[in-house]
Amino acid sequence: MTTTIILNSLLPPPPPPPPPPQTHSPSGLTRYTTSFPLRYSTTISCNVQTTKAFAVPRRNAVALILSSYFFSGVGLHDAAFAQPSIGLREYIDTFDGYSFRYPQNWIPVRGAGADIFFRDPYVLDENISVELSSPSSSRYKSVEDLGPPQEAGEKVLKQYLTEFMSTRLGVKRESNILSTSSRVADDGRIYYQVEVNIKSYASNNELAVMPQDRVVSLEWDRRYLSVLGVENNRLYELRLQTPENVFLEEENDLRQVMDSFRVNKVVG
């Protein structure tokens, strides 16, 4: 729909105009023509069309911005749809020696067992945390002490599966290492990145005696992204957890979070 709007806040509003005459264009669309009793006059043309509904990403509120410019004899411009960026906020831990950026609308959660833990307040399965090895029992010199990236990825996946071990009957887990890589960041340190997918299947009737009564279905499908770094003789791991369908929507933001992770020398 194309609309022209003339605004003049310095003049009182005009009385309502009489109903405009209708004419029909050759295309079959109804055209309304009117003149405003102001200093400027213009023509409003409305092409009435049917549009389909569109899907809006979960965290991006779509704002309808109508842009009108005042030029002599110039009509209005098309409406624009804008999707504002979610934005990232930096977290710095000077005591333990690490920093990273996280989505600014995520909230901290206490008692989660990690050194720091943030969660999406709307998608509770989406979160970020940092795990540290014990300063008294670890003597890491480099992340390469874990072996090559693929070997480190197998250790990361094994740790995840151990943590998600379930005593429920009829639960089955499928897991895959999607990618492993090594990079040198702008601080000169080597970081490993590991991405894994884990699917959990469960029976809707755990106590059923007959196998045909134990129907197994997918209960969750998640992606886990880890960034590993070493400093202060400790192993640091940034962990991102997100449902696979959400990851597809937010991949750009989440990869910025991964790339922002840094380990820092603790002074004193």
Side-chain angles (χ1 to χ4, degrees):
M1 177 176 291
T2 305
T3 308
T4 301
I5 299 177
I6 301 299
L7 300 179
N8 193 334
S9 60
L10 300 178
L11 296 177
Q22 297 185 8
T23 61
H24 295 276
S25 64
S27 62
L29 301 177
T30 302
R31 181 179 297 273
Y32 297 90
T33 304
T34 186
S35 296
F36 289 86
L38 301 177
R39 183 172 49 176
Y40 300 98
S41 64
T42 187
T43 298
I44 297 181
S45 299
C46 300
N47 294 334
V48 182
Q49 298 178 345
T50 302
T51 58
K52 295 182 180 180
F54 55 91
V56 180
R58 182 185 56 80
R59 294 194 313 190
N60 292 337
V62 177
L64 177 60
I65 305 174
L66 182 61
S67 302
S68 297
Y69 299 93
F70 288 83
F71 298 98
S72 176
V74 177
L76 60 118
H77 295 263
D78 293 335
F81 290 90
Q83 295 184 356
S85 174
I86 182 175
L88 299 175
R89 178 177 298 169
E90 187 171 28
Y91 178 85
I92 301 175
D93 187 328
T94 56
F95 180 79
D96 288 308
Y98 64 87
S99 64
F100 62 92
R101 300 171 69 194
Y102 66 96
Q104 62 181 357
N105 64 330
W106 288 19
I107 59 176
V109 177
R110 299 184 181 277
D115 192 69
I116 189 65
F117 191 100
F118 290 96
R119 168 175 286 167
D120 188 318
Y122 305 105
V123 180
L124 300 186
D125 286 341
E126 188 174 32
N127 54 63
I128 185 172
S129 62
V130 175
E131 302 279 352
L132 313 175
S133 65
S134 170
S136 60
S137 61
S138 60
R139 289 292 180 268
Y140 290 96
K141 298 302 181 184
S142 168
V143 72
E144 294 175 313
D145 292 346
L146 298 172
Q150 180 64 29
E151 185 176 336
E154 293 170 357
K155 293 176 181 177
V156 168
L157 178 57
K158 182 179 180 180
Q159 180 63 33
Y160 276 127
L161 293 176
T162 300
E163 294 174 3
F164 299 147
M165 192 175 295
S166 175
T167 58
R168 291 183 298 153
L169 299 175
V171 173
K172 182 180 69 171
R173 301 278 161 76
E174 290 184 358
S175 60
N176 292 286
I177 298 177
L178 302 177
S179 69
T180 60
S181 61
S182 174
R183 64 180 174 88
V184 178
D186 54 8
D187 60 0
R189 296 181 178 86
I190 300 175
Y191 293 86
Y192 283 175
Q193 294 190 170
V194 178
E195 295 185 34
V196 303
N197 170 262
I198 301 178
K199 295 180 176 66
S200 179
Y201 297 86
S203 171
N204 60 352
N205 188 358
E206 299 177 7
L207 303 179
V209 177
M210 303 302 293
Q212 61 269 24
D213 296 329
R214 295 194 295 271
V215 179
V216 177
S217 59
L218 179 68
E219 62 175 351
W220 50 261
D221 180 8
R222 299 174 187 159
R223 181 168 301 210
Y224 297 89
L225 307 99
S226 292
V227 184
L228 305 166
V230 167
E231 185 54 270
N232 307 304
N233 297 324
R234 306 175 73 178
L235 176 65
Y236 296 73
E237 181 182 3
L238 176 78
R239 291 180 164 196
L240 269 168
Q241 170 184 295
T242 181
E244 275 289 348
N245 62 331
V246 176
F247 174 78
L248 295 176
E249 177 188 324
E250 302 175 356
E251 180 176 0
N252 182 59
D253 288 335
L254 297 180
R255 294 205 182 279
Q256 289 185 53
V257 172
M258 294 178 68
D259 292 341
S260 72
F261 185 57
R262 298 289 184 273
V263 294
N264 308 302
K265 193 73 174 178
V266 175
V267 180

